[in-house]
Amino acid sequence: MEQFFTAVSMLFTTWVVPAALGGLIWGILGGATPGLSASITMALLLPFTYAMPPMPAIVMLATCYIGAEYGGSIPAILIRTPGTNASAATIMDGYEMNRQGRAGEALGLSLWSGVVGGLFGLAMLILLTEPLSRLALLFKPTTYFGLGILGLSVIASLSSKSLLKGLAAALVGLMISTIGTDPISGVSRFTFGAPDLLDGIAPLFVMVGLYAMTELMMRAGIMGNIIKPNASIRVRLPRLPMMKKVARSQAIGCGIGTVEGLMPGAGGTVAAFIAYNECKRWSKTPEEFGHGAPEGVAGPEAANNTVASASLIPLLSFGIPASNSGAVLLGGLLIHGLLPGPRLFEQNSDVVLGIYVGSFVADIAQVVVGAVILPLCVWLVNRPKPYRSAFILALILSGVYTVHMSLFDVGIVLASGMLGYFMKYFGYPFLPAVLGVVLGNLVESNYRRSLVLSGGDLGIFLEDPIAIGFFIAAALIMAGALLAEWRASRVRKAVSA
Amino acid sequence: MRLFRKQFSALCAVAAIAVLAMPASAQNAPQKIPYPVKVVTLVTHSSPGAGSDVFLRELVRYLQKYVNATFIVENDEGGSGAKAVSRVASARPDGSMLYASSPTYILTSLLSKPANTYRDLEPMANFFTDSEVIYVRAESSIKTVKDLIDRAKTTRGRWGAANPGSLERQAAEQLKIAAKVNAAVVSHEGGGDMMINVLNGTLDMGVGEMEEIRAQYEAKKIRVIATFNGERIPALSDMPTVKESGYNVVLVKFRGIAGPKNLPPAITKIWDDVAQKILADPDYQKVYNAEHLSPHFIGHEQYGPFIAKFAADTGAYLKSTGVIR
């Protein structure tokens, strides 16, 4: 109770509110810029915080993460470009809603889900840090391998039209993920001596290329407007019936987001995709998914916003960053002489309390900031097609170039765009390829790490109960998808016969 | 964007001077060493908040105190350091652009074919050795390096190292050879992953930088049993070195400054001078001792041969393990 009053007085006596708002706005803008991932948005902000006192500095970085995870959904919905890795899952139904002229509704949903997810993650962080941090210690290389397989199994159920084409696309994604330094031995693979390839190909660049560049090329080839212009630039927050309708998806997203937030390396992307898949499975109307289902926006958005807060649990309690964004925040803590870990809560309780209060302020303020920024964004994408396409192209390429000031990265985006164009032309789905790029490294490195540990004995995977749970879940998802495919083919045969 | 960032780091540097140098100049106003250029850009391949970036930004505070120039830190990420190296290698050799050297730039030169390698830079002065240590979880029965080796002889040892191409992995592999045991050396992506695996008992031990594992160490969740440094760490003088424990493996993860080739001797001399002065600064000592960085000054004359030897040793190691041909 005493803590509560300290927290309230903090609102009025410290810099926590301005810091939280500043971080949030910067985060939303950075997250919404295609190519700038959440971690890069934070890294750009980091030098600004050097001269600040520790508490507001850390609050600013933490709220920047919240803002960026939310902001990523804006271009995903409006221009089919994931602003951050995790928002790629939002494209599927968010952009579809936009095409149907429901951009305002989709943006309102993602905003609302972001607030719900953010507050849920924050509640976990405040109330359950102690037990959840013990849970984080249970994750071994075998567990991560299981998680990766679960993630990949989603491909089977999301390759809606042809399983074969879905698997082929996934293979392309997995192949792309093998480029770079071998995660176990350190040998350079497929780098052709180019130092730019040593760190591998960033999944975000592939996503931006596949989704955004491809879309621009496809649209350039079509006369007229394929998108129904939004009649109103107003952003509509969901009303009560809609809130009820998406509540289940949000709950699924929050739950998955919490678990993923605890697992270093997994991060919001995997959470968002698994959440999307689960929302589809548990939905009463799974056939709407992919055609503008509100749940398809609510689930992933709730998940990746939950991760933004939940991933602070391993960071603050162990000093272990769960993602690149976490690593930047860790850098911020170190620069201010704060050592995350069990003692942070005793020695720098003001910083911890500041993060709680700041995150809360940011979660609530999202609604206000969103209401100001979003209509402008909708207005922008409602401009005539030539202007809009040129603007999007410039925005994407300059965003990507800014990351490392590298034309090489721009080349990767353009090449992915070409790949995407052909994939689209021949009817290969993007999603499996994206999952392959995102999960390839996780699956490969943890599989091999497990085998190095066991001396090549595959039995090690059966010694880890959590991994077994993931395998079973993956098997169920794949079996379900195969069954659906088989049924569909029988229906087709029956119809044609 | 670059322009913006430049201006901004300049602004930061100015703010940092304003805040930090004020009390110092008010007290005794030390005679600042004159420097031939007004603005010095220190380039790192690290992203903000990561290893070399933190090193430079702390260093800058003290450089301002002793040198009559403005120091700016710039992050030139990408290409595992190749971009930053190229930028400094092609800069004018007047001391206005320098690079924060660490083993990364040698590894990148050896592992790929960048446009400029470590040979295109002039090593100037070394400041520190990062303390690389062997750590185990608090509940572990392993107390000494001998315990660790005995364990690896009777059961299958499970040792952790951060990144595959890292010095930590090299240390673990070399210890394995020196002790003639067949432990599994499991490389990770970064220290966080590995820490969890040490804490939950998947690994017997991990090799990591003291700075990275400090949080767990101070919370007594892990114990450190030995260091790969040549000498004991001043702040942890009870802890033996691996070499003392009977295994001849010594590892020097250096941190220093390099510049373009053909730097005039006047400039390298200033840096020799400044490096020693800064390392002796009591305020700075407090900071780097808390981070368990060991001061390790190497002047311009010996730094070149030191780097060449480091590169030769690392190259030989990478060849022996089949990483490069």
Side-chain angles (χ1 to χ4, degrees), chain A residues 102-109 232 234-239:
Chain A
R102 293 154 70 199
E105 191 189 339
L107 289 168
L109 259 177
S232 153
R234 267 191 50 212
V235 172
R236 283 193 321 221
L237 281 174
R239 289 177 195 280

Side-chain angles (χ1 to χ4, degrees), chain A residues 179-252:
Chain A
I179 296 171
T181 307
D182 179 316
I184 303 298
S185 73
V187 176
S188 304
R189 300 189 299 202
F190 312 115
T191 61
F192 308 103
D196 289 291
L197 285 172
L198 271 187
D199 292 335
I201 289 180
L204 185 58
F205 295 156
V206 177
M207 288 185 210
V208 169
L210 281 185
Y211 285 110
M213 294 304 299
T214 305
E215 181 75 3
L216 285 176
M217 283 191 268
M218 296 300 285
R219 263 199 241 155
I222 300 168
M223 288 298 282
N225 238 335
I226 52 164
I227 294 188
K228 201 172 148 198
N230 292 284
S232 153
I233 59 166
R234 267 191 50 212
V235 172
R236 283 193 321 221
L237 281 174
R239 289 177 195 280
L240 203 58
M242 180 54 89
M243 280 186 183
K244 275 190 189 152
K245 186 175 178 192
V246 298
R248 190 211 297 255
S249 312
Q250 287 172 337
I252 292 172

